[in-house]
Amino acid sequence: MDYHIYLAGEIHSDWRDQLRASLKEKPGIHFHFSGPQENHDLSDAIGEHVLGEQPNAIYKDLQASKINNLRTELHLKKADLVIALFGEKFKQWNTATDAATAITLGKPTIIIRPESLHHPLKELSEKANVTVDTIEQAAQVIDYIFA
């Protein structure tokens, strides 16, 4: 059986590789992963790549956002499970947006966040199916679900 897992979260670390490496092999089960565009420069410039140079930085961001939002929506709609990682280092508005969209779409959602982010993420965590503190805990939940 094939399952699509959308990995929402910051794109500056290898957390996705850590999660994939932590998952145990399951006979007959194949996980397909997607997530936001991990090439930050491409993500920021995609509007200009498609539509040409924009008159200023605001229009450049608007055009890129439209294309990135469409990409994210398509991947989220296809997902069987969404995992959203919140870390200490970056402001993570995109992660919060992706997680909220997934929950609104009725997608099963696991939030990974350190205990120090409990308070700022309390409402979102309560709407998610599961909230854990570490990548390893998220892998354990997935291993349990698909055992």
Side-chain angles (χ1 to χ4, degrees), residues 38-66:
E38 293 183 56
N39 179 329
H40 196 177
D41 291 336
L42 176 59
S43 176
D44 285 350
I46 190 62
E48 288 191 329
H49 282 295
V50 173
L51 300 169
E53 187 175 344
Q54 298 297 301
N56 60 44
I58 292 173
Y59 283 98
K60 178 182 176 181
D61 284 348
L62 287 172
Q63 298 309 322
S65 294
K66 289 178 184 182

Side-chain angles (χ1 to χ4, degrees), residues 75 83 95 111 123 131:
H75 284 285
I83 301 174
T95 306
I111 290 178
E123 285 83 8
T131 299

Side-chain angles (χ1 to χ4, degrees), residues 6 8-9 65 68-69 72-73 76 82 84-86 91-105 109 111 121 124:
Y6 186 87
S65 294
N68 285 320
N69 283 336
T72 299
E73 182 178 345
L76 282 174
V82 175
L85 176 121
F86 292 88
K91 303 288 184 204
Q92 298 180 42
W93 298 290
N94 288 351
T95 306
T97 299
D98 290 355
T101 300
I103 291 165
T104 300
L105 290 171
T109 303
I111 290 178
L121 293 170
L124 190 58

Side-chain angles (χ1 to χ4, degrees), residues 5 7 15-24 26 31 33 81 83 110-112 130 132-147:
I5 300 176
L7 302 175
W15 76 270
R16 289 172 178 81
D17 294 334
Q18 292 176 41
L19 179 73
R20 287 188 283 260
S22 296
L23 296 175
K24 295 180 180 149
K26 309 242 181 280
F31 296 122
F33 297 94
L81 174 65
I83 301 174
I110 298 172
I111 290 178
I112 306 169
V130 175
V132 296
D133 296 334
T134 68
I135 294 165
E136 181 58 38
Q137 289 172 338
Q140 290 174 350
V141 171
I142 294 168
D143 285 340
Y144 176 78
I145 292 169
F146 295 101

